[in-house]
Amino acid sequence: MTRTSADWASKLSLIHTVELCEGNPVDYLVALLRHPEALARAPGEWMPWNYQQALASADASSAN
């Protein structure tokens, strides 16, 4: 497998994981792009199965 195909495989795997968690892959990826600092501080909180809580927390902190 070439590097490019491995990169695509990992991206598709992430998208499929979001779908399995009954999430919207586009919403998930947008959330990651909008909160890079929070993602870097606590990447485990931004997994497809629990990112909604991290997103709510990040949005609440930015509103204050």
Side-chain angles (χ1 to χ4, degrees):
M1 189 180 287
T2 65
R3 177 160 167 74
T4 304
S5 60
D7 290 344
W8 275 107
S10 65
K11 289 173 179 66
L12 291 175
S13 176
L14 179 65
I15 289 169
H16 187 63
T17 302
V18 175
E19 291 172 339
L20 289 174
C21 296
E22 299 180 2
N24 181 321
V26 173
D27 291 344
Y28 176 67
L29 295 172
V30 167
L32 296 182
L33 291 171
R34 288 190 176 159
H35 300 283
E37 297 87 12
L39 175 60
R41 276 192 308 272
E45 294 179 7
W46 291 87
M47 293 291 119
W49 49 88
N50 65 353
Y51 84 96
Q52 293 287 353
Q53 295 90 344
L55 180 61
S57 176
D59 287 343
S61 346
S62 65
N64 292 331

